[in-house]
């Protein structure tokens, strides 16, 4: 089992920045892909970004490329999502997720095994 706890959400004005954190526990994360998804009210849960824990390779949704950066800290067993140039359409609950032996090209929620409780990000115009 992998436990995931997100933090760092909040309210920010358009153009601002936030950094989300996701602390993982319960397993070493070698062979895991970590991901971020988001879900706005009344919409489906959408892929945002993923990182291969071992290699550091990343993949991003087109809508966030150039604005969001996903990274990991091996010593802290934590992944981050640095979000810059935020837009009102980025408003959503952001979820951290993990999948052992996954791929950074896995874009569907069903591809991932473990989920955090989510953290709200609200971008005002």
């Amino acid at each position: 089992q992998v436990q995931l706890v997100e933090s760092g959400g909040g309210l920010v004005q358009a153009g601002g920045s936030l950094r989300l954190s996701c602390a993982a526990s319960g397993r070493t994360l070698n062979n895991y892909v970590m991901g971020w998804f988001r879900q706005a009210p009344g919409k489906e849960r959408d892929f945002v970004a993923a990182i291969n824990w071992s290699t550091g390779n990343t993949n991003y949704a087109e809508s966030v490329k150039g604005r969001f950066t996903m990274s990991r800290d091996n010593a802290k067993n934590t992944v981050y999502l640095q979000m810059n140039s935020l837009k009102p359409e980025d408003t959503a609950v952001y979820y951290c997720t993990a999948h052992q032996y996954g791929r950074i090209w896995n874009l569907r929620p069903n591809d991932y095994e473990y989920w955090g409780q989510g953290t709200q990000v609200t971008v005002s115009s």
Side-chain angles (χ1 to χ4, degrees), residues 44-120:
E44 295 183 347
R45 191 169 294 190
D46 291 331
F47 172 81
V48 175
I51 189 167
N52 182 301
W53 187 268
S54 297
T55 65
N57 292 337
T58 55
N59 182 35
Y60 297 95
E62 286 295 328
S63 59
V64 306
K65 276 184 181 178
R67 301 189 298 123
F68 291 12
T69 303
M70 188 172 183
S71 61
R72 88 260 196 239
D73 185 327
N74 292 41
K76 295 183 178 180
N77 241 31
T78 298
V79 294
Y80 303 97
L81 186 68
Q82 178 66 44
M83 305 185 295
N84 298 329
S85 302
L86 282 161
K87 305 174 182 179
E89 51 263 44
D90 294 318
T91 295
V93 177
Y94 283 70
Y95 295 92
C96 178
T97 185
H99 182 205
Q100 191 176 24
Y101 304 120
R103 297 183 176 185
I104 59 174
W105 313 111
N106 292 141
L107 307 181
R108 303 173 304 172
N110 287 345
D111 292 329
Y112 290 82
E113 298 173 273
Y114 304 103
W115 293 85
Q117 81 286 353
T119 185
Q120 177 70 45

